[in-house]
Amino acid sequence: MGSGKRSLLAVAVTVVCAVTVLAVPGTAFASPSPTPAPKTASPTAPTTAPDLTAPPATNEDLEAVREKLDELYHDAAVATDAYNAAEEQTKKQSAELVELAKKIVEGREELADLKDRAGAAARSQYRGGGLPDEAQLLLSDDPGDFLDGAGRVIQGQRATNGLLGEMTRTQQDLEQYTRDASAQWQKLENNRKARATAQKTIEKQIAAAEKLESTLEKEEKERLARLQEQAAQKAQTTWLGTGILDGATTAEATAQGTRAVQYATAQIGKPYVWGAEGPDTFDCSGLTSQAWAGADVTIPRTSQEQWRQLKQVAVKDMRPGDLIIYFDDASHVAMYVGDGTMVHAPRPGRTVTLAGAGSMPILGVVRPGA
C-alpha cells in the first residue's frame, strides 16, 4: 500500500477515535450533562501532496476499518437503547402526569363543593331566632321537643364532623396529588435530558462511522463489504461447529410465534433507522417488539429490557419467534426463524435482513408470551 493512502487512512481512523472517545454512554440509562464537543483544529494540508497513484488499502487496513466501524455502530446501538428507554419512560410519565392533573382538578371541585355545604350548614344553625340547635334544646320545656331536639343535635354533630373529616381528607389528597405531580414532572424532565444526551451520542457515532467510510474508494468499500460478510460467515460457521444445535429440539413455533415471524420477515428490505418501530423503518428492538405486538403480545421496547424481563430459554431449545440477544450489554436483538437463521434490523445504512443466528456474539435467548 502506498504511503500516501496508508497515512490518510490511518489519520482517518485516529481522528474518528479521538472524536468518539467521549461519546460512549456509561450505561443504557445514563443521563449525564451533555459533554461539550471537543474543539478540534481544522485538518491541515499535508506538507507533501498525497500519492494519488497509491494502490488501494490492504485487507489488513480494511480489517482495522471494519473493527472500528463495528465498534462505532455498537456504541450507537447502546445509545439507541438508552434513547428508546427514555422515550418509553417519557410516554409513561406523561400519561401519569395527565391522570394526576385530572385528579387535582376533580379534587378542587370536590373541595369547593364541600366548602359550600359547610357554609350552608353553618348558616342553618342561625335559623329560628339565630340560636343554634344546642341553645334551643336547653330552652325547651316540652319533654317531646327536648328528645327530638337532642336527636337533631346528635345528627347535626355527626354530619358536621363527617363533613369536616371529608374536607380534611380531600385537602390531604390534593396536597399528595400535587407532590406526586411535581415528582413526575421532575422525572419527565430528567428523561427528556437523558433522551437528548442519547440522541447526541447516536448522531455522533453514526457521523463518525460515515466519515470513516467516506475515506474509502468504491473498490475499497466493496472489499470492505466482502470482509464484513466473511467475518459474519466465519462466526456462524464457528458457532455451528460447536455443535450447539446438534441436539436442538425441533419444536415448532406456537401460533403467536408464527405470526410474529411472519410479521418480521415481511419487513425484510425496509431500512434501519434508530428509534423507529415501523411501519416503514425499524431499529432492532423496534422490529421485534412490533412483530410480537402483531401477534397480540406486548413485550418491552428495548433489547435490554427484553433480556431482563422475558423468560430465558436454552439456545438448544429455541424455536421460531424466540428472540436472540447479542453482546454482553444486550445491545442488539434479533428473531429466530429456524434452521440456525434469524431476521433482524442490523444497523444504520442497512435494511432488515436474514442472517446466521451465530454471526454475532450471543448473550442468550428469551421467549415472549411464555
Side-chain angles (χ1 to χ4, degrees):
M1 179 179 181
S3 59
K5 183 67 178 180
R6 180 183 296 276
S7 61
L8 286 176
L9 192 55
V11 167
V13 174
T14 302
V15 169
V16 166
C17 290
V19 169
T20 59
V21 68
L22 297 178
V24 182
T27 66
F29 282 93
S31 56
S33 300
T35 304
K39 296 181 180 179
T40 55
S42 300
T44 55
T47 54
T48 58
D51 183 1
L52 299 179
T53 62
T58 65
N59 280 358
E60 182 180 349
D61 296 314
L62 289 178
E63 182 62 24
V65 172
R66 184 189 70 78
E67 291 177 357
K68 185 58 188 176
L69 288 173
D70 285 348
E71 178 186 336
L72 291 169
Y73 283 122
H74 170 265
D75 292 342
V78 173
T80 297
D81 229 33
Y83 177 92
N84 290 336
E87 177 73 6
E88 288 300 293
Q89 284 295 99
T90 296
K91 290 178 182 177
K92 179 181 178 182
Q93 288 158 0
S94 295
E96 291 174 352
L97 198 55
V98 169
E99 289 303 311
L100 283 170
K102 290 179 180 178
K103 289 181 179 179
I104 289 173
V105 171
E106 292 170 357
R108 286 176 176 170
E109 292 175 349
E110 182 180 354
L111 188 60
D113 179 63
L114 289 171
K115 287 180 178 179
D116 288 343
R117 288 165 57 189
R123 289 190 296 272
S124 70
Q125 290 182 351
Y126 293 94
R127 291 172 185 165
L131 294 176
D133 287 340
E134 292 88 339
Q136 294 183 37
L137 177 62
L138 293 174
L139 296 175
S140 175
D141 293 328
D142 187 292
D145 290 344
F146 181 88
L147 291 175
D148 290 341
R152 288 197 301 273
V153 169
I154 293 173
Q155 290 176 356
Q157 288 176 339
R158 287 177 178 171
T160 300
N161 290 338
L163 189 60
L164 291 174
E166 193 172 352
M167 288 177 64
T168 299
R169 287 192 297 274
T170 302
Q171 183 67 45
Q172 290 173 342
D173 287 345
L174 268 175
E175 292 172 356
Q176 185 61 51
Y177 293 152
T178 301
R179 287 193 294 269
D180 290 346
S182 178
Q184 284 297 98
W185 180 260
Q186 187 58 55
K187 289 180 182 179
L188 188 63
E189 286 301 297
N190 290 342
N191 272 302
R192 284 174 175 166
K193 291 177 182 177
R195 185 177 59 180
T197 299
Q199 180 173 346
K200 289 180 181 178
T201 300
I202 296 166
E203 292 171 347
K204 185 176 290 186
Q205 300 301 104
I206 293 175
E210 292 173 345
K211 179 180 178 64
L212 182 55
E213 289 180 298
S214 71
T215 64
L216 302 177
E217 301 294 337
K218 179 181 178 181
E219 184 273 338
E220 291 170 335
K221 290 179 180 178
E222 292 172 350
R223 285 199 293 125
L224 175 62
R226 288 196 293 273
L227 282 175
Q228 292 169 331
E229 184 177 351
Q230 290 169 6
Q233 290 176 345
K234 180 180 179 181
Q236 173 75 353
T237 300
T238 301
W239 180 66
L240 292 175
T242 64
I244 189 72
L245 295 183
D246 290 351
T249 60
T250 56
E252 296 182 356
T254 62
Q256 288 178 315
T258 298
R259 289 168 60 191
V261 169
Q262 290 173 342
Y263 180 100
T265 53
Q267 313 313 312
I268 290 176
K270 292 185 177 180
Y272 175 105
V273 172
W274 65 266
E277 48 188 332
D280 300 319
T281 57
F282 296 87
D283 63 18
C284 66
S285 57
L287 176 65
T288 54
S289 60
Q290 287 303 302
W292 273 98
D296 298 322
V297 177
T298 300
I299 65 173
R301 169 64 176 87
T302 69
S303 59
Q304 292 179 344
E305 288 306 306
Q306 289 170 6
W307 171 244
R308 276 193 279 263
Q309 295 186 34
L310 300 179
K311 179 184 177 181
Q312 297 181 20
V313 296
V315 172
K316 66 180 182 63
D317 294 328
M318 66 180 174
R319 63 192 184 198
D322 287 348
L323 305 183
I324 307 175
I325 309 297
Y326 293 95
F327 304 108
D328 290 341
D329 52 11
S331 56
H332 190 71
V333 61
M335 179 176 290
Y336 188 60
V337 297
D339 297 324
T341 304
M342 54 85 163
V343 59
H344 70 146
R347 71 184 197 193
R350 302 286 178 83
T351 60
V352 176
T353 188
L354 294 172
S359 56
M360 293 177 289
I362 295 176
L363 176 61
V365 178
V366 294
R367 177 167 296 162

PDB file of all heavy atoms in Angstrom, residues 333-370:
ATOM      1  N   VAL A 333     -30.809  -7.210  19.271  1.00  0.00           N
ATOM      2  CA  VAL A 333     -31.753  -8.312  19.358  1.00  0.00           C
ATOM      3  C   VAL A 333     -32.221  -8.692  17.962  1.00  0.00           C
ATOM      4  O   VAL A 333     -32.311  -7.840  17.070  1.00  0.00           O
ATOM      5  CB  VAL A 333     -32.965  -7.936  20.245  1.00  0.00           C
ATOM      6  CG1 VAL A 333     -33.719  -6.743  19.685  1.00  0.00           C
ATOM      7  CG2 VAL A 333     -33.918  -9.131  20.430  1.00  0.00           C
ATOM      8  N   ALA A 334     -32.466  -9.972  17.774  1.00  0.00           N
ATOM      9  CA  ALA A 334     -32.980 -10.490  16.508  1.00  0.00           C
ATOM     10  C   ALA A 334     -34.037 -11.544  16.818  1.00  0.00           C
ATOM     11  O   ALA A 334     -34.188 -11.973  17.970  1.00  0.00           O
ATOM     12  CB  ALA A 334     -31.853 -11.096  15.678  1.00  0.00           C
ATOM     13  N   MET A 335     -34.780 -11.972  15.794  1.00  0.00           N
ATOM     14  CA  MET A 335     -35.791 -13.009  15.984  1.00  0.00           C
ATOM     15  C   MET A 335     -35.362 -14.281  15.258  1.00  0.00           C
ATOM     16  O   MET A 335     -35.009 -14.253  14.078  1.00  0.00           O
ATOM     17  CB  MET A 335     -37.145 -12.546  15.438  1.00  0.00           C
ATOM     18  CG  MET A 335     -38.247 -13.592  15.586  1.00  0.00           C
ATOM     19  SD  MET A 335     -39.853 -12.985  15.029  1.00  0.00           S
ATOM     20  CE  MET A 335     -40.211 -11.781  16.309  1.00  0.00           C
ATOM     21  N   TYR A 336     -35.396 -15.383  15.981  1.00  0.00           N
ATOM     22  CA  TYR A 336     -35.037 -16.668  15.392  1.00  0.00           C
ATOM     23  C   TYR A 336     -36.149 -17.131  14.469  1.00  0.00           C
ATOM     24  O   TYR A 336     -37.339 -17.064  14.820  1.00  0.00           O
ATOM     25  CB  TYR A 336     -34.812 -17.697  16.491  1.00  0.00           C
ATOM     26  CG  TYR A 336     -34.244 -19.011  15.990  1.00  0.00           C
ATOM     27  CD1 TYR A 336     -33.019 -19.058  15.340  1.00  0.00           C
ATOM     28  CD2 TYR A 336     -34.945 -20.204  16.163  1.00  0.00           C
ATOM     29  CE1 TYR A 336     -32.487 -20.257  14.886  1.00  0.00           C
ATOM     30  CE2 TYR A 336     -34.431 -21.411  15.720  1.00  0.00           C
ATOM     31  CZ  TYR A 336     -33.196 -21.434  15.069  1.00  0.00           C
ATOM     32  OH  TYR A 336     -32.694 -22.629  14.610  1.00  0.00           O
ATOM     33  N   VAL A 337     -35.785 -17.592  13.266  1.00  0.00           N
ATOM     34  CA  VAL A 337     -36.792 -18.064  12.313  1.00  0.00           C
ATOM     35  C   VAL A 337     -36.629 -19.553  12.005  1.00  0.00           C
ATOM     36  O   VAL A 337     -37.401 -20.118  11.225  1.00  0.00           O
ATOM     37  CB  VAL A 337     -36.739 -17.250  10.997  1.00  0.00           C
ATOM     38  CG1 VAL A 337     -37.065 -15.803  11.263  1.00  0.00           C
ATOM     39  CG2 VAL A 337     -35.395 -17.391  10.306  1.00  0.00           C
ATOM     40  N   GLY A 338     -35.610 -20.197  12.610  1.00  0.00           N
ATOM     41  CA  GLY A 338     -35.403 -21.628  12.392  1.00  0.00           C
ATOM     42  C   GLY A 338     -34.184 -21.921  11.542  1.00  0.00           C
ATOM     43  O   GLY A 338     -33.653 -21.033  10.844  1.00  0.00           O
ATOM     44  N   ASP A 339     -33.693 -23.170  11.607  1.00  0.00           N
ATOM     45  CA  ASP A 339     -32.558 -23.626  10.803  1.00  0.00           C
ATOM     46  C   ASP A 339     -31.315 -22.768  10.992  1.00  0.00           C
ATOM     47  O   ASP A 339     -30.559 -22.509  10.032  1.00  0.00           O
ATOM     48  CB  ASP A 339     -32.927 -23.659   9.314  1.00  0.00           C
ATOM     49  CG  ASP A 339     -34.051 -24.647   9.010  1.00  0.00           C
ATOM     50  OD1 ASP A 339     -34.081 -25.705   9.667  1.00  0.00           O
ATOM     51  OD2 ASP A 339     -34.896 -24.349   8.152  1.00  0.00           O
ATOM     52  N   GLY A 340     -31.086 -22.285  12.228  1.00  0.00           N
ATOM     53  CA  GLY A 340     -29.885 -21.508  12.510  1.00  0.00           C
ATOM     54  C   GLY A 340     -29.895 -20.113  11.927  1.00  0.00           C
ATOM     55  O   GLY A 340     -28.839 -19.482  11.820  1.00  0.00           O
ATOM     56  N   THR A 341     -31.078 -19.629  11.567  1.00  0.00           N
ATOM     57  CA  THR A 341     -31.195 -18.317  10.906  1.00  0.00           C
ATOM     58  C   THR A 341     -32.046 -17.363  11.742  1.00  0.00           C
ATOM     59  O   THR A 341     -32.978 -17.782  12.430  1.00  0.00           O
ATOM     60  CB  THR A 341     -31.827 -18.484   9.504  1.00  0.00           C
ATOM     61  OG1 THR A 341     -31.037 -19.411   8.750  1.00  0.00           O
ATOM     62  CG2 THR A 341     -31.889 -17.161   8.764  1.00  0.00           C
ATOM     63  N   MET A 342     -31.727 -16.084  11.648  1.00  0.00           N
ATOM     64  CA  MET A 342     -32.523 -15.066  12.339  1.00  0.00           C
ATOM     65  C   MET A 342     -32.819 -13.921  11.375  1.00  0.00           C
ATOM     66  O   MET A 342     -32.177 -13.771  10.331  1.00  0.00           O
ATOM     67  CB  MET A 342     -31.778 -14.547  13.580  1.00  0.00           C
ATOM     68  CG  MET A 342     -30.388 -14.031  13.342  1.00  0.00           C
ATOM     69  SD  MET A 342     -30.267 -12.310  12.803  1.00  0.00           S
ATOM     70  CE  MET A 342     -28.521 -11.963  13.160  1.00  0.00           C
ATOM     71  N   VAL A 343     -33.810 -13.115  11.735  1.00  0.00           N
ATOM     72  CA  VAL A 343     -34.133 -11.909  10.982  1.00  0.00           C
ATOM     73  C   VAL A 343     -33.920 -10.733  11.929  1.00  0.00           C
ATOM     74  O   VAL A 343     -34.281 -10.796  13.105  1.00  0.00           O
ATOM     75  CB  VAL A 343     -35.588 -11.937  10.442  1.00  0.00           C
ATOM     76  CG1 VAL A 343     -36.607 -12.075  11.562  1.00  0.00           C
ATOM     77  CG2 VAL A 343     -35.879 -10.681   9.617  1.00  0.00           C
ATOM     78  N   HIS A 344     -33.301  -9.658  11.419  1.00  0.00           N
ATOM     79  CA  HIS A 344     -33.031  -8.512  12.288  1.00  0.00           C
ATOM     80  C   HIS A 344     -32.862  -7.235  11.472  1.00  0.00           C
ATOM     81  O   HIS A 344     -32.705  -7.262  10.255  1.00  0.00           O
ATOM     82  CB  HIS A 344     -31.782  -8.762  13.140  1.00  0.00           C
ATOM     83  CG  HIS A 344     -30.484  -8.756  12.373  1.00  0.00           C
ATOM     84  ND1 HIS A 344     -29.308  -8.299  12.907  1.00  0.00           N
ATOM     85  CD2 HIS A 344     -30.179  -9.161  11.096  1.00  0.00           C
ATOM     86  CE1 HIS A 344     -28.329  -8.414  12.020  1.00  0.00           C
ATOM     87  NE2 HIS A 344     -28.827  -8.941  10.927  1.00  0.00           N
ATOM     88  N   ALA A 345     -32.917  -6.116  12.201  1.00  0.00           N
ATOM     89  CA  ALA A 345     -32.588  -4.805  11.634  1.00  0.00           C
ATOM     90  C   ALA A 345     -31.174  -4.511  12.113  1.00  0.00           C
ATOM     91  O   ALA A 345     -30.973  -4.204  13.292  1.00  0.00           O
ATOM     92  CB  ALA A 345     -33.575  -3.746  12.124  1.00  0.00           C
ATOM     93  N   PRO A 346     -30.164  -4.624  11.235  1.00  0.00           N
ATOM     94  CA  PRO A 346     -28.767  -4.645  11.687  1.00  0.00           C
ATOM     95  C   PRO A 346     -28.225  -3.335  12.263  1.00  0.00           C
ATOM     96  O   PRO A 346     -27.860  -3.274  13.431  1.00  0.00           O
ATOM     97  CB  PRO A 346     -27.995  -5.040  10.428  1.00  0.00           C
ATOM     98  CG  PRO A 346     -29.011  -5.542   9.464  1.00  0.00           C
ATOM     99  CD  PRO A 346     -30.281  -4.826   9.795  1.00  0.00           C
ATOM    100  N   ARG A 347     -28.206  -2.281  11.432  1.00  0.00           N
ATOM    101  CA  ARG A 347     -27.582  -1.028  11.867  1.00  0.00           C
ATOM    102  C   ARG A 347     -27.841   0.058  10.826  1.00  0.00           C
ATOM    103  O   ARG A 347     -28.372  -0.234   9.730  1.00  0.00           O
ATOM    104  CB  ARG A 347     -26.079  -1.214  12.061  1.00  0.00           C
ATOM    105  CG  ARG A 347     -25.317  -1.387  10.750  1.00  0.00           C
ATOM    106  CD  ARG A 347     -23.857  -1.665  11.008  1.00  0.00           C
ATOM    107  NE  ARG A 347     -23.049  -1.440   9.818  1.00  0.00           N
ATOM    108  CZ  ARG A 347     -21.793  -1.825   9.681  1.00  0.00           C
ATOM    109  NH1 ARG A 347     -21.211  -2.490  10.678  1.00  0.00           N
ATOM    110  NH2 ARG A 347     -21.106  -1.552   8.590  1.00  0.00           N
ATOM    111  N   PRO A 348     -27.490   1.304  11.108  1.00  0.00           N
ATOM    112  CA  PRO A 348     -27.697   2.384  10.129  1.00  0.00           C
ATOM    113  C   PRO A 348     -27.035   2.057   8.790  1.00  0.00           C
ATOM    114  O   PRO A 348     -25.937   1.503   8.738  1.00  0.00           O
ATOM    115  CB  PRO A 348     -27.036   3.591  10.797  1.00  0.00           C
ATOM    116  CG  PRO A 348     -27.157   3.317  12.256  1.00  0.00           C
ATOM    117  CD  PRO A 348     -26.974   1.835  12.390  1.00  0.00           C
ATOM    118  N   GLY A 349     -27.744   2.380   7.725  1.00  0.00           N
ATOM    119  CA  GLY A 349     -27.228   2.107   6.393  1.00  0.00           C
ATOM    120  C   GLY A 349     -27.569   0.728   5.869  1.00  0.00           C
ATOM    121  O   GLY A 349     -27.297   0.415   4.711  1.00  0.00           O
ATOM    122  N   ARG A 350     -28.174  -0.093   6.703  1.00  0.00           N
ATOM    123  CA  ARG A 350     -28.561  -1.448   6.306  1.00  0.00           C
ATOM    124  C   ARG A 350     -30.090  -1.569   6.333  1.00  0.00           C
ATOM    125  O   ARG A 350     -30.782  -0.666   6.795  1.00  0.00           O
ATOM    126  CB  ARG A 350     -27.946  -2.483   7.245  1.00  0.00           C
ATOM    127  CG  ARG A 350     -26.419  -2.432   7.327  1.00  0.00           C
ATOM    128  CD  ARG A 350     -25.782  -2.995   6.062  1.00  0.00           C
ATOM    129  NE  ARG A 350     -24.324  -2.913   6.127  1.00  0.00           N
ATOM    130  CZ  ARG A 350     -23.543  -3.803   6.732  1.00  0.00           C
ATOM    131  NH1 ARG A 350     -24.083  -4.833   7.368  1.00  0.00           N
ATOM    132  NH2 ARG A 350     -22.225  -3.669   6.713  1.00  0.00           N
ATOM    133  N   THR A 351     -30.568  -2.706   5.844  1.00  0.00           N
ATOM    134  CA  THR A 351     -32.009  -2.963   5.838  1.00  0.00           C
ATOM    135  C   THR A 351     -32.306  -4.239   6.625  1.00  0.00           C
ATOM    136  O   THR A 351     -31.403  -5.037   6.914  1.00  0.00           O
ATOM    137  CB  THR A 351     -32.531  -3.139   4.397  1.00  0.00           C
ATOM    138  OG1 THR A 351     -31.848  -4.262   3.782  1.00  0.00           O
ATOM    139  CG2 THR A 351     -32.286  -1.884   3.578  1.00  0.00           C
ATOM    140  N   VAL A 352     -33.571  -4.426   6.979  1.00  0.00           N
ATOM    141  CA  VAL A 352     -33.994  -5.646   7.662  1.00  0.00           C
ATOM    142  C   VAL A 352     -33.633  -6.832   6.768  1.00  0.00           C
ATOM    143  O   VAL A 352     -33.914  -6.832   5.566  1.00  0.00           O
ATOM    144  CB  VAL A 352     -35.512  -5.630   7.942  1.00  0.00           C
ATOM    145  CG1 VAL A 352     -35.958  -6.948   8.570  1.00  0.00           C
ATOM    146  CG2 VAL A 352     -35.863  -4.451   8.851  1.00  0.00           C
ATOM    147  N   THR A 353     -32.998  -7.850   7.356  1.00  0.00           N
ATOM    148  CA  THR A 353     -32.469  -8.944   6.549  1.00  0.00           C
ATOM    149  C   THR A 353     -32.395 -10.237   7.343  1.00  0.00           C
ATOM    150  O   THR A 353     -32.502 -10.244   8.567  1.00  0.00           O
ATOM    151  CB  THR A 353     -31.062  -8.580   6.032  1.00  0.00           C
ATOM    152  OG1 THR A 353     -30.620  -9.572   5.104  1.00  0.00           O
ATOM    153  CG2 THR A 353     -30.068  -8.500   7.185  1.00  0.00           C
ATOM    154  N   LEU A 354     -32.198 -11.337   6.636  1.00  0.00           N
ATOM    155  CA  LEU A 354     -31.922 -12.627   7.255  1.00  0.00           C
ATOM    156  C   LEU A 354     -30.416 -12.781   7.426  1.00  0.00           C
ATOM    157  O   LEU A 354     -29.642 -12.295   6.602  1.00  0.00           O
ATOM    158  CB  LEU A 354     -32.452 -13.770   6.392  1.00  0.00           C
ATOM    159  CG  LEU A 354     -33.974 -13.876   6.230  1.00  0.00           C
ATOM    160  CD1 LEU A 354     -34.312 -14.941   5.182  1.00  0.00           C
ATOM    161  CD2 LEU A 354     -34.636 -14.219   7.564  1.00  0.00           C
ATOM    162  N   ALA A 355     -29.996 -13.456   8.482  1.00  0.00           N
ATOM    163  CA  ALA A 355     -28.571 -13.677   8.731  1.00  0.00           C
ATOM    164  C   ALA A 355     -28.420 -14.911   9.604  1.00  0.00           C
ATOM    165  O   ALA A 355     -29.391 -15.429  10.167  1.00  0.00           O
ATOM    166  CB  ALA A 355     -27.948 -12.451   9.410  1.00  0.00           C
ATOM    167  N   GLY A 356     -27.179 -15.388   9.709  1.00  0.00           N
ATOM    168  CA  GLY A 356     -26.904 -16.517  10.583  1.00  0.00           C
ATOM    169  C   GLY A 356     -27.107 -16.126  12.039  1.00  0.00           C
ATOM    170  O   GLY A 356     -26.672 -15.060  12.473  1.00  0.00           O
ATOM    171  N   ALA A 357     -27.770 -16.983  12.790  1.00  0.00           N
ATOM    172  CA  ALA A 357     -28.055 -16.665  14.193  1.00  0.00           C
ATOM    173  C   ALA A 357     -26.786 -16.524  15.014  1.00  0.00           C
ATOM    174  O   ALA A 357     -26.776 -15.838  16.039  1.00  0.00           O
ATOM    175  CB  ALA A 357     -28.959 -17.739  14.798  1.00  0.00           C
ATOM    176  N   GLY A 358     -25.699 -17.166  14.569  1.00  0.00           N
ATOM    177  CA  GLY A 358     -24.445 -17.100  15.310  1.00  0.00           C
ATOM    178  C   GLY A 358     -23.440 -16.134  14.730  1.00  0.00           C
ATOM    179  O   GLY A 358     -22.254 -16.212  15.047  1.00  0.00           O
ATOM    180  N   SER A 359     -23.887 -15.227  13.883  1.00  0.00           N
ATOM    181  CA  SER A 359     -22.953 -14.304  13.228  1.00  0.00           C
ATOM    182  C   SER A 359     -22.475 -13.185  14.139  1.00  0.00           C
ATOM    183  O   SER A 359     -21.596 -12.410  13.777  1.00  0.00           O
ATOM    184  CB  SER A 359     -23.604 -13.705  11.967  1.00  0.00           C
ATOM    185  OG  SER A 359     -24.832 -13.068  12.284  1.00  0.00           O
ATOM    186  N   MET A 360     -23.063 -13.090  15.332  1.00  0.00           N
ATOM    187  CA  MET A 360     -22.624 -12.128  16.349  1.00  0.00           C
ATOM    188  C   MET A 360     -22.583 -12.860  17.684  1.00  0.00           C
ATOM    189  O   MET A 360     -23.204 -13.919  17.843  1.00  0.00           O
ATOM    190  CB  MET A 360     -23.604 -10.946  16.413  1.00  0.00           C
ATOM    191  CG  MET A 360     -23.628 -10.065  15.180  1.00  0.00           C
ATOM    192  SD  MET A 360     -24.869  -8.736  15.308  1.00  0.00           S
ATOM    193  CE  MET A 360     -26.389  -9.692  15.165  1.00  0.00           C
ATOM    194  N   PRO A 361     -21.856 -12.324  18.663  1.00  0.00           N
ATOM    195  CA  PRO A 361     -21.761 -12.988  19.972  1.00  0.00           C
ATOM    196  C   PRO A 361     -23.116 -13.044  20.673  1.00  0.00           C
ATOM    197  O   PRO A 361     -23.726 -12.016  20.957  1.00  0.00           O
ATOM    198  CB  PRO A 361     -20.782 -12.114  20.755  1.00  0.00           C
ATOM    199  CG  PRO A 361     -20.025 -11.346  19.713  1.00  0.00           C
ATOM    200  CD  PRO A 361     -20.987 -11.129  18.590  1.00  0.00           C
ATOM    201  N   ILE A 362     -23.611 -14.246  20.975  1.00  0.00           N
ATOM    202  CA  ILE A 362     -24.924 -14.440  21.594  1.00  0.00           C
ATOM    203  C   ILE A 362     -24.814 -14.350  23.113  1.00  0.00           C
ATOM    204  O   ILE A 362     -23.999 -15.023  23.732  1.00  0.00           O
ATOM    205  CB  ILE A 362     -25.532 -15.790  21.195  1.00  0.00           C
ATOM    206  CG1 ILE A 362     -25.816 -15.810  19.685  1.00  0.00           C
ATOM    207  CG2 ILE A 362     -26.812 -16.067  21.978  1.00  0.00           C
ATOM    208  CD1 ILE A 362     -26.330 -17.155  19.178  1.00  0.00           C
ATOM    209  N   LEU A 363     -25.660 -13.513  23.701  1.00  0.00           N
ATOM    210  CA  LEU A 363     -25.755 -13.438  25.156  1.00  0.00           C
ATOM    211  C   LEU A 363     -26.740 -14.480  25.677  1.00  0.00           C
ATOM    212  O   LEU A 363     -26.481 -15.141  26.684  1.00  0.00           O
ATOM    213  CB  LEU A 363     -26.206 -12.027  25.574  1.00  0.00           C
ATOM    214  CG  LEU A 363     -26.451 -11.806  27.064  1.00  0.00           C
ATOM    215  CD1 LEU A 363     -25.156 -12.045  27.851  1.00  0.00           C
ATOM    216  CD2 LEU A 363     -26.971 -10.386  27.313  1.00  0.00           C
ATOM    217  N   GLY A 364     -27.860 -14.637  24.980  1.00  0.00           N
ATOM    218  CA  GLY A 364     -28.860 -15.615  25.390  1.00  0.00           C
ATOM    219  C   GLY A 364     -30.106 -15.515  24.559  1.00  0.00           C
ATOM    220  O   GLY A 364     -30.180 -14.728  23.606  1.00  0.00           O
ATOM    221  N   VAL A 365     -31.091 -16.324  24.898  1.00  0.00           N
ATOM    222  CA  VAL A 365     -32.346 -16.387  24.157  1.00  0.00           C
ATOM    223  C   VAL A 365     -33.511 -16.175  25.117  1.00  0.00           C
ATOM    224  O   VAL A 365     -33.501 -16.704  26.240  1.00  0.00           O
ATOM    225  CB  VAL A 365     -32.514 -17.746  23.434  1.00  0.00           C
ATOM    226  CG1 VAL A 365     -33.854 -17.827  22.705  1.00  0.00           C
ATOM    227  CG2 VAL A 365     -31.360 -17.962  22.459  1.00  0.00           C
ATOM    228  N   VAL A 366     -34.497 -15.394  24.696  1.00  0.00           N
ATOM    229  CA  VAL A 366     -35.686 -15.166  25.521  1.00  0.00           C
ATOM    230  C   VAL A 366     -36.937 -15.500  24.720  1.00  0.00           C
ATOM    231  O   VAL A 366     -36.922 -15.469  23.494  1.00  0.00           O
ATOM    232  CB  VAL A 366     -35.756 -13.717  26.049  1.00  0.00           C
ATOM    233  CG1 VAL A 366     -34.628 -13.445  27.019  1.00  0.00           C
ATOM    234  CG2 VAL A 366     -35.732 -12.711  24.902  1.00  0.00           C
ATOM    235  N   ARG A 367     -38.013 -15.786  25.447  1.00  0.00           N
ATOM    236  CA  ARG A 367     -39.256 -16.220  24.802  1.00  0.00           C
ATOM    237  C   ARG A 367     -40.433 -15.339  25.217  1.00  0.00           C
ATOM    238  O   ARG A 367     -40.890 -15.392  26.353  1.00  0.00           O
ATOM    239  CB  ARG A 367     -39.537 -17.682  25.152  1.00  0.00           C
ATOM    240  CG  ARG A 367     -40.841 -18.222  24.582  1.00  0.00           C
ATOM    241  CD  ARG A 367     -40.884 -19.734  24.689  1.00  0.00           C
ATOM    242  NE  ARG A 367     -39.830 -20.325  23.869  1.00  0.00           N
ATOM    243  CZ  ARG A 367     -39.382 -21.586  24.002  1.00  0.00           C
ATOM    244  NH1 ARG A 367     -39.902 -22.356  24.952  1.00  0.00           N
ATOM    245  NH2 ARG A 367     -38.442 -22.042  23.206  1.00  0.00           N
ATOM    246  N   PRO A 368     -40.948 -14.527  24.300  1.00  0.00           N
ATOM    247  CA  PRO A 368     -42.160 -13.736  24.599  1.00  0.00           C
ATOM    248  C   PRO A 368     -43.378 -14.642  24.751  1.00  0.00           C
ATOM    249  O   PRO A 368     -43.435 -15.732  24.166  1.00  0.00           O
ATOM    250  CB  PRO A 368     -42.296 -12.838  23.362  1.00  0.00           C
ATOM    251  CG  PRO A 368     -40.930 -12.813  22.746  1.00  0.00           C
ATOM    252  CD  PRO A 368     -40.369 -14.175  23.002  1.00  0.00           C
ATOM    253  N   GLY A 369     -44.335 -14.192  25.522  1.00  0.00           N
ATOM    254  CA  GLY A 369     -45.587 -14.921  25.656  1.00  0.00           C
ATOM    255  C   GLY A 369     -45.489 -16.223  26.416  1.00  0.00           C
ATOM    256  O   GLY A 369     -46.426 -17.006  26.427  1.00  0.00           O
ATOM    257  N   ALA A 370     -44.334 -16.451  27.062  1.00  0.00           N
ATOM    258  CA  ALA A 370     -44.170 -17.729  27.771  1.00  0.00           C
ATOM    259  C   ALA A 370     -44.973 -17.691  29.072  1.00  0.00           C
ATOM    260  O   ALA A 370     -45.013 -16.677  29.737  1.00  0.00           O
ATOM    261  CB  ALA A 370     -42.696 -17.968  28.072  1.00  0.00           C
TER     262      ALA A 370
END
